[in-house]
Amino acid sequence: MGKIGVVGSINMDMTVKAERIPLKGETLKGEDLKYVPGGKGANQAVAMAKLGADVEMFGCVGGDAAGISLVKNLRKTGVETKSIKTIEGVPTGLAMITVGENDNTIIVVAGTNDHVDVDYINEVKDALLECEIVLLQHEIPQETVEYVIELCAANGVKAVLNPGPARPVKKEILEKVAYLTPNEHEAVILFGEDISFEDMMKKYPEKLVITQGSRGVSTCLKSGEIVLVPARKADVVDTTGAGDTLNGAFTVALMEGKNIEDALAFANVAAGLSTEKFGAQGGMPSYDEVKEAMGR
Ligand code: RIB
């Protein structure tokens, strides 16, 4: 299997548990304050490394304690970190997460993730273009996302765009992506409210994958048939990072040569397993664990 690159965010997740998500203006008692590794980019890199893939992370951290421990964590899970840049004097990205009612809310403070800019990409370009496939999300500047997608397209490298958090993307950029994996909310931001999910998927067969939380994942096959790959039932502890696990596992399965339906089935099981433990990266499964769960 060739190398997979991730260009994206690296965050420290500050998580608290509460009996439920607070309402607007409400103060709730929380418990179990924890600082754990996160960031959509780093989470996807770790998910793929845990599944045995050869992964390199491209991103920025601060010279603070969070940045140092996050890079150490990536290295420990087997992710190549040589291209990660340390930006002195800028805090590492931080996410404030409330976990409650089998769901979460997240506020992200970009910090050094905003320094993943075009100049940085030019510095790491050689290593990036050694990758067979590159994953991107929306926690770094949009200009960088577009630049990387153009660069990949011009050099025969496939790009997978997980467009979260939601923001619009130019049509000509979407055309250059090999796979696009929004949730339903992000799909509406990309394609508007006047088109149904079915019609969106029909426009991009075997390329647009719409994730639907506990219902599963849908795509349109090249035959024109819409398929829903149902989610695996899980004993949910924490859904943080489930989408990242799905994106990572989907990419690994595609790299292995699986067809899109089988890749989504594999990714769904991996994502389900990831929700059964605490933390974005805490429950991410190994390849054998996914295979074993699929056989059950
Ligand atoms: O997708 C989950 C991630 O979103 C968290 O780890 C948090 O850092 C935010 O980026």
Side-chain angles (χ1 to χ4, degrees):
M1 216 195 281
K3 186 168 85 165
I4 304 175
V6 179
V7 181
S9 56
I10 305 170
N11 292 338
M12 182 58 84
D13 288 356
M14 186 181 108
T15 70
V16 279
K17 278 192 200 153
E19 64 178 288
R20 57 183 171 76
I21 305 295
L23 302 171
K24 201 172 166 188
E26 186 184 29
T27 303
L28 277 183
K29 208 169 149 226
E31 56 186 28
D32 254 352
L33 170 66
K34 287 200 174 85
Y35 288 87
V36 290
K40 292 188 195 301
N43 292 345
Q44 293 179 15
V46 168
M48 295 190 289
K50 284 200 177 173
L51 292 168
D54 178 9
V55 189
E56 175 153 13
M57 179 76 210
F58 299 88
C60 297
V61 293
D64 46 19
I68 294 166
S69 86
L70 290 171
V71 174
K72 218 185 261 177
N73 169 68
L74 283 166
R75 214 173 285 143
K76 200 180 74 197
T77 56
V79 175
E80 175 59 71
T81 60
K82 70 177 186 325
S83 298
I84 294 178
K85 188 173 178 179
T86 300
I87 315 280
E88 297 296 342
V90 180
T92 298
L94 175 87
M96 294 172 64
I97 304 181
T98 309
V99 178
E101 297 169 288
N102 283 351
D103 213 331
N104 63 34
T105 55
I106 306 182
I107 295 179
V108 186
V109 184
T112 43
N113 295 311
D114 272 348
H115 289 252
V116 184
D117 54 19
V118 168
D119 288 345
Y120 165 73
I121 297 300
N122 285 331
E123 285 167 28
V124 297
K125 197 166 155 182
D126 290 347
L128 188 61
L129 293 178
E130 281 166 13
C131 299
E132 212 167 287
I133 194 160
V134 169
L135 263 89
L136 298 123
Q137 319 74 29
H138 275 177
E139 287 186 332
I140 56 171
Q142 183 65 16
E143 191 197 5
T144 313
V145 171
E146 292 179 7
Y147 185 70
V148 172
I149 290 170
E150 305 258 23
L151 193 65
C152 286
N155 288 278
V157 176
K158 284 185 181 157
V160 179
L161 177 61
N162 170 221
R167 66 186 177 201
V169 180
K170 287 184 212 136
K171 188 164 182 289
E172 62 264 32
I173 295 293
L174 294 181
E175 300 297 330
K176 292 187 173 159
V177 159
Y179 298 96
L180 186 61
T181 61
N183 61 25
E184 288 163 301
H185 169 65
E186 291 152 3
V188 170
I189 301 296
L190 292 179
F191 300 107
E193 280 174 1
D194 299 335
I195 173 168
S196 67
F197 292 128
E198 281 213 347
D199 286 343
M200 289 177 198
M201 291 188 282
K202 281 185 178 156
K203 271 177 79 177
Y204 295 103
E206 298 197 17
K207 161 171 171 159
L208 174 61
V209 164
I210 303 186
T211 62
Q212 295 161 289
S214 57
R215 272 171 293 137
V217 196
S218 288
T219 195
C220 176
L221 300 181
K222 291 206 172 118
S223 63
E225 185 197 348
I226 303 273
V227 286
L228 168 72
V229 182
R232 170 188 177 271
K233 293 240 175 320
D235 293 325
V236 177
V237 172
D238 182 0
T239 55
T240 315
D244 300 327
T245 308
L246 186 134
N247 275 279
F250 175 59
T251 305
V252 169
L254 289 171
M255 287 279 286
E256 265 192 333
K258 285 192 169 49
N259 67 37
I260 195 157
E261 247 186 303
D262 290 346
L264 290 174
F266 180 85
N268 251 346
V269 171
L273 287 171
S274 79
T275 66
E276 295 187 339
K277 289 194 188 132
F278 171 76
Q281 298 174 12
M284 286 173 175
S286 67
Y287 193 88
D288 288 346
E289 284 168 335
V290 181
K291 279 295 192 200
E292 203 252 331
M294 288 183 88
R296 262 187 253 145

